[in-house]
Amino acid sequence: MPAIPRLPPAIEHRILKFVCHLPPRAQRRLFGPPPQLDGQTLAPDIHALIWIAARARHDSLAEGADPVEARVQRRAEAAVVAERPAIEMARVEAAEIPGPAGTIPARLYVPRTTPADGPRPLLVYFHGGGWVIGDLETHDSPCRFLAAHSGAQVLAVDYRLAPEHPFPAAAEDAFAAYAWVSANAARFGVEPARIAVGGDSAGGNLAAVVCLLARDAGLTPPAMQLLIYPVTETGRELPSRQTFREGFLLTRRDMAYYEDRYLPPGTDRGDPRVAVLQAEDLSGLPPAYVATAGFDPLRDEGEAYAQRLREAGVPVALHRHPGLVHTFINLTAICPTSRAAVLEACGALRMGLA
C-alpha cells in the first residue's frame, strides 16, 4: 500500500475535514462500504478517516518503540485534528498542584459563556494516552471543547507518565490533584459539591480510580464521573480486545505496549487502583456517564464497569456509540459523528453539575 507523503498540519487538517464532511454516499463511493463487525457498521466519516490514516500513519506501537518519540508523534497527530482556530476561552492559565513527588502541572480553562446560576462548576480532567504518551498539549482541543459546550471550568492535570514513573504514580497524582482541588474549591469560585472528575481512555481509568480512593479516604466525593471509553481491566482480557484488535486506530498491540510500561513485571495487574472492574465494592460512588465506542478494543470493559456500578446502586448513564472508534474525543473538529458524541457528553456534564 503506497504511503501518502506528510503535509503541513494545517493542510492535512483541511483535507481530513473536507473528506469527513462529504455526504455518506460520496464517502462510500470513494472509500468503499464501511466494515461491519459484531452487528455494527462503522460510521462512513470514521471509515474515511481510517482509510486515509492507514496510508499516512506508521503501524501501531512496536514493542521496542521509544516512548519519547511516541509522545512526539502523538502531539503531531493531535495538532492535525485539533480545532482551527482554537476555541476561544475567557481565560486559560497554568496552575501548579502539590503532589506526592513534587509539583503537578495543570491548565485551567474558563469558558466565555455566561453561567446561568452563579459560579461555574469545575471538571478535573485526566488526559488519555495509555499513561505513557498524552499531555496537556494533546488534549488542549478536547478540554476547550468540553469547557465551551458544558459551561464548566476544566482543569487538565498533567500527571506523571510511564515508563519513567510506573504504577501507581499516575493514580497517586490524580488523587492528589482531586484532593487538592476539593480542599481549595474557593480558589476556583466553586463549591466542593460541584466538582466532577473525568477523562478519556487511561484518563477515564484515573477518574474512576479517584472516585474509589476519595470514597475510601472519606473525602467529599466528586459530583459525577465522566468516563470516555475508560480502561477498567488490566488483569483479564474481555472479548472486544480480540474482536477489534487491529484496524480501528487503537490496537490490541498498542494496549499491550502501554500496559507493559505502566505495569512493569511484578505489578499486580488486578489491583483496583488500575483494574477498577475488579474492585470488590463499588457502592457509594458518584453518578457516572460512561461513553464507549462500538469499534474499540476497550468497549466491553467500559460497559462491564457501567453494569457493575448499576448493580452497586450507582446512577449510571451508558451510551455506546456503535459507529465510532477509540480517540473520538480528539476528532470533534474533523468528524461530525465524533462531534455529536462529545456534545452529548458535554450535555451530561452540564446536567450532572447543575
Side-chain angles (χ1 to χ4, degrees), residues 97-123:
I97 300 171
T103 299
I104 305 170
R107 183 180 293 167
L108 178 67
Y109 299 85
V110 181
R112 300 178 68 183
T113 52
T114 303
D117 55 350
R120 298 179 187 280
L122 178 69
L123 170 67

Side-chain angles (χ1 to χ4, degrees), residues 111-148:
R112 300 178 68 183
T113 52
T114 303
D117 55 350
R120 298 179 187 280
L122 178 69
L123 170 67
V124 181
Y125 194 82
F126 307 107
H127 62 76
W131 309 281
V132 175
I133 64 173
D135 60 23
L136 296 178
E137 298 307 321
T138 62
H139 283 65
D140 179 76
S141 189
C143 286
R144 288 173 182 267
F145 192 96
L146 288 168

